[in-house]
Amino acid sequence: MPFQAPRGTFDILPDEEEIWNKVQQACFETARLFGYRYIETPVFEESGLFQRTVGENTDIVEKEMYSFDDKGGENISLRPENTAGVCRAFIENGLHNTTLPSRLFYYGPMFRYERPQSGRYRQFHQFGIECIGEASPDVDYEVIKIAWDVLKILDFGNVVLNVNSLGDSQDRYLYSEELKKYYSKYLNDLPRVDQLRFERSPLRILDSKEDITIKISEDAPKTLDFISTESSIHHENLILNLDQLSSIDKEFKYKINHRLVRGLDYYNKTVFEYTSDSLGPQGVLLGGGRYDPLIKILGGQDTPAVGFAMGIERAVNELKKNIDIEKNYVDAVLIVTNDDLRIQSAQIANNLRNHKIRTIIAPRKSIKAQMRFANNINSKCAVFIGHDELEANKLSIKLLQEKSEQIDIDLNDISQFKKILSS
Ligand code: ATP
Ligand code: MG
């Protein structure tokens, strides 16, 4: 075959639509229940937007962005994530002049140049929540709860919320210094990627996926020992909310994960991830946190914010294991017994569709072949159109999934047809 989908991309085929819809619906309905509203931003932005927000030294900006000069010489990147775009839109469209916080959600494709593997693609989808304009831990809890409700609707087993607090930027500076002291003892044992991180962003070593580093990091200093009183109180307040949720919902489990720092520069205070054992090494379903400095970095007013992004493919892959795909997508196939009735059949088909009966006209073939077609596409019924039927102003219906007799119905009484279909 001369052409294939680019590495790390895939096609969503008709059989899969239902699962994708189910996930999207769970996301949209839950977001709306919490008063969140849809926002959509372009799939590409000026590269500088991501460099400034996600961070120059992050994996995403360093290695994973699809960047190019467009024909006007502008450096453009396909969005690797959507928080930066939403914040840009928030400022540009003056949303800070509306009642805050702005409760926003988005859904759409993201692009990262990664090594493709199960649950990791180069074009993938994210659903995300951004709550912009409120500093209190109440909304940290709110976004964590939205995520939990989505995962519950999708019936994910064994999900655990991991939380941590990074404190503010000054806390992070002190903590980074402390981390450097710690890792300097193990510098020769660290793999090359993590040695490089040591100088530039020691926090990122905690995020490493290398086994040796994970082992070494077990005894690393903990962020919570370095954060300010204000950040501590914020964190404790969130924990109170989480404890309350655990006590009323026995399925909800959380743990404080001291190594959780998240791979993007813009987070402060609360960071969190939901992980699921059943996903294996690509176990993170969604991640998020507070990003109070971001709007100001982008030239807006100082505006605190919190949000998360969920990987849709990881949810879809998990659901695929448990769902029987609905094969019935057509109600009626018209079997046209004489070719001179094709034009009339097209009109009958339109009439059925006007009554929301999903209808296909069988191809110009023998009656036997038309019947085979109707069976092969799993139509609920075959509808015979011949001279005799039309003269009597009737349609002759045969239900295909059960061995039924033919039933005649009045051509002018489609409601009778609908009753038969739903019986
Ligand atoms: P990971 O540690 O798995 O690389 P990340 O920290 O890069 O994740 P985020 O940027 O927080 O991920 O994105 C949020 C979610 O988006 C992830 O938890 C994951 O479910 C999904 N995601 C991220 N990258 C990919 C990808 N390349 N393919 C599919 N899903 C992805
Ligand atoms: Mg990543």
Side-chain angles (χ1 to χ4, degrees):
M1 213 190 119
F3 295 111
Q4 289 182 332
R7 204 163 124 74
T9 69
F10 56 89
D11 306 303
I12 301 174
L13 298 172
D15 268 355
E16 293 157 355
E17 188 214 359
E18 195 193 336
I19 295 180
W20 283 82
N21 271 346
K22 200 176 145 99
V23 177
Q24 184 175 341
Q25 239 177 35
C27 296
F28 279 41
E29 279 172 12
T30 308
R32 292 210 162 99
L33 263 181
F34 281 79
Y36 282 66
R37 301 178 75 200
Y38 183 75
I39 185 166
E40 186 172 323
T41 63
V43 294
F44 60 87
E45 299 269 1
E46 261 176 68
S47 299
L49 175 69
F50 303 112
Q51 286 154 0
R52 283 273 281 285
T53 58
V54 175
E56 295 276 7
N57 293 328
T58 58
D59 281 356
I60 292 182
V61 169
E62 257 182 5
K63 299 187 279 201
E64 299 175 359
M65 283 222 290
Y66 279 91
S67 303
F68 56 95
D69 288 333
D70 70 8
K71 292 193 165 47
E74 186 108 51
N75 197 264
I76 293 291
S77 294
L78 300 184
R79 61 182 186 194
E81 58 95 56
N82 206 190
T83 298
V86 169
C87 289
R88 197 249 329 119
F90 175 88
I91 300 167
E92 190 172 337
N93 297 288
L95 294 187
H96 48 269
N97 295 322
T98 61
T99 306
L100 296 181
S102 272
R103 291 184 158 85
L104 304 169
F105 72 94
Y106 62 82
Y107 186 98
M110 308 294 154
F111 306 85
R112 294 185 194 178
Y113 190 78
E114 298 211 61
R115 197 166 63 77
Q117 47 198 297
S118 146
R120 196 175 285 288
Y121 309 93
R122 290 183 175 175
Q123 176 174 345
F124 61 99
H125 297 73
Q126 282 184 340
F127 159 68
I129 284 285
E130 313 292 0
C131 181
I132 306 176
E134 160 133 21
S136 99
D138 302 346
V139 289
D140 300 24
Y141 174 66
E142 179 176 290
V143 300
I144 286 173
K145 179 66 165 59
I146 294 173
W148 174 241
D149 285 359
V150 171
L151 297 175
K152 262 192 111 157
I153 295 177
L154 296 176
D155 211 11
F156 263 98
N158 278 329
V159 176
V160 179
L161 170 74
N162 288 247
V163 269
N164 196 15
S165 173
L166 301 177
D168 56 33
S169 55
Q170 206 181 344
D171 306 339
R172 265 170 81 159
Y173 176 77
L174 292 176
Y175 178 64
S176 290
E177 291 302 302
E178 205 59 32
L179 264 187
K180 264 188 156 170
K181 258 190 237 159
Y182 176 80
Y183 284 119
S184 64
K185 291 183 284 185
Y186 303 97
L187 206 50
N188 293 332
D189 304 325
L190 288 176
R192 179 98 185 106
V193 278
D194 292 321
Q195 286 176 351
L196 291 174
R197 286 174 170 146
F198 179 81
E199 279 307 324
R200 288 192 306 200
S201 53
L203 247 75
R204 202 124 294 131
I205 305 178
L206 287 170
D207 202 29
S208 173
K209 306 214 166 38
E210 306 288 329
D211 289 339
I212 312 167
T213 311
I214 293 173
K215 187 102 194 80
I216 291 174
S217 298
E218 272 170 16
D219 294 323
K222 299 168 178 167
T223 54
L224 292 184
D225 294 332
F226 291 83
I227 63 179
S228 66
T229 316
E230 189 219 336
S231 292
S232 256
I233 293 172
H234 186 101
H235 178 69
E236 280 158 21
N237 214 301
L238 172 63
I239 296 299
L240 286 179
N241 270 307
L242 297 179
D243 285 336
Q244 179 66 17
L245 180 58
S246 313
S247 70
I248 51 180
D249 182 345
K250 294 294 171 216
E251 283 173 64
F252 177 77
K253 293 187 195 74
Y254 81 90
K255 69 170 188 225
I256 293 172
N257 178 347
H258 298 289
R259 280 189 291 115
L260 181 63
V261 289
R262 312 269 307 123
L264 298 84
D265 266 357
Y266 50 58
Y267 289 111
N268 71 324
K269 289 188 177 144
T270 308
V271 285
F272 65 92
E273 281 179 355
Y274 278 95
T275 56
S276 164
D277 295 345
S278 57
L279 292 182
Q282 259 58 257
V284 183
L285 279 166
L286 65 86
R290 187 160 269 290
Y291 52 92
D292 296 336
L294 187 60
I295 304 261
K296 196 161 179 205
I297 290 174
L298 289 177
Q301 295 162 15
D302 208 354
T303 313
V306 56
F308 71 76
M310 163 172 166
I312 300 298
E313 280 71 9
R314 294 184 189 179
V316 164
N317 289 347
E318 186 67 14
L319 269 189
K320 269 187 194 162
K321 296 180 196 159
N322 310 324
I323 273 193
D324 285 332
I325 291 158
E326 172 68 83
K327 288 283 187 200
N328 172 258
Y329 59 94
V330 183
D331 299 312
V333 169
L334 306 193
I335 310 291
V336 187
T337 57
N338 290 83
D339 272 350
D340 62 349
L341 295 176
R342 285 270 154 188
I343 290 182
Q344 259 166 298
S345 302
Q347 294 315 313
I348 292 170
N350 283 339
N351 189 24
L352 296 180
R353 292 178 194 128
N354 286 340
H355 287 83
K356 306 273 181 258
I357 296 172
R358 300 167 298 175
T359 307
I360 290 182
I361 304 174
R364 287 187 189 231
K365 287 186 176 159
S366 69
I367 295 178
K368 206 169 147 197
Q370 291 185 55
M371 275 304 282
R372 205 176 312 126
F373 170 82
N375 278 309
N376 286 347
I377 66 167
N378 275 310
S379 177
K380 277 196 189 159
C381 72
V383 179
F384 296 93
I385 300 186
H387 285 288
D388 291 350
E389 283 86 2
L390 290 185
E391 256 155 50
N393 215 22
K394 287 200 177 325
L395 292 175
S396 183
I397 299 168
K398 186 173 164 58
L399 291 169
L400 296 176
Q401 265 107 27
E402 49 217 89
K403 298 244 167 322
S404 81
E405 297 298 306
Q406 274 175 228
I407 314 163
D408 283 349
I409 61 146
D410 190 334
L411 194 48
N412 296 319
D413 186 11
I414 305 297
S415 62
Q416 203 189 342
F417 191 173
K418 292 201 80 163
K419 247 183 239 150
I420 295 170
L421 281 176
S422 58
S423 64

